[in-house]
Structure formats: C-alpha cells, structure tokens
Amino acid sequence: MMQAFPNELLDDLLSLHEVRADIDVTIETVRALGLPLRQDTIRHQAALHQIEPDRAELIVALVMRRLSSEGSGP
C-alpha cells in the first residue's frame, strides 16, 4: 500500500531538476511501453528493476504528484 508523503515534500523534491528529470523519464518510459500510468504498474516496473519497496513508494508518489501537477492525471 502507498505510504502517505506530504505534498510539500513531493513538491520540494520535484523542484530539484535532477529528480524532476528522472520522474519525467519514468513517465515517458511507462508510456512508451504502452502501459497505463497507475500505481501498480509503476510498482511492478520498480520491482523488475530491483528497486527497494520504500524507494519504489516514493517514486510512485512522485510520479502521481507530477501527473497531478501536469493536469494529465494517471
């Protein structure tokens, strides 16, 4: 289940160019694979890349926050 990360923390992280660029690449990659941008899809991709569960949850939260700020939603 997704951990609750404060929006302020997510926004602060996304304000860092490198973090935002990494999250944008993640979004582009999932879209290029033709997969839906859903939390379970991102978790599955993270598991395939052997990303630790806690870090994967942060990535999921960042992706969802980035999508909501774009207005494109999941």
Side-chain angles (χ1 to χ4, degrees), residues 5-64:
F5 293 98
N7 285 339
E8 295 80 19
L9 170 66
L10 299 175
D11 292 341
D12 286 347
L13 289 170
L14 287 169
S15 72
L16 302 171
H17 175 73
E18 186 174 318
V19 172
R20 188 176 60 248
D22 287 346
I23 293 302
D24 287 347
V25 167
T26 299
I27 292 168
E28 291 171 17
T29 300
V30 172
R31 285 180 174 154
L33 291 170
L35 300 171
L37 275 165
R38 296 189 323 234
Q39 294 176 11
D40 60 329
T41 304
I42 297 164
R43 282 188 193 98
H44 180 74
Q45 291 300 308
L48 289 174
H49 294 280
Q50 300 178 347
I51 295 173
E52 303 88 28
D54 288 343
R55 185 167 177 221
E57 287 305 314
L58 179 57
I59 293 169
V60 168
L62 287 166
V63 167
M64 294 298 118

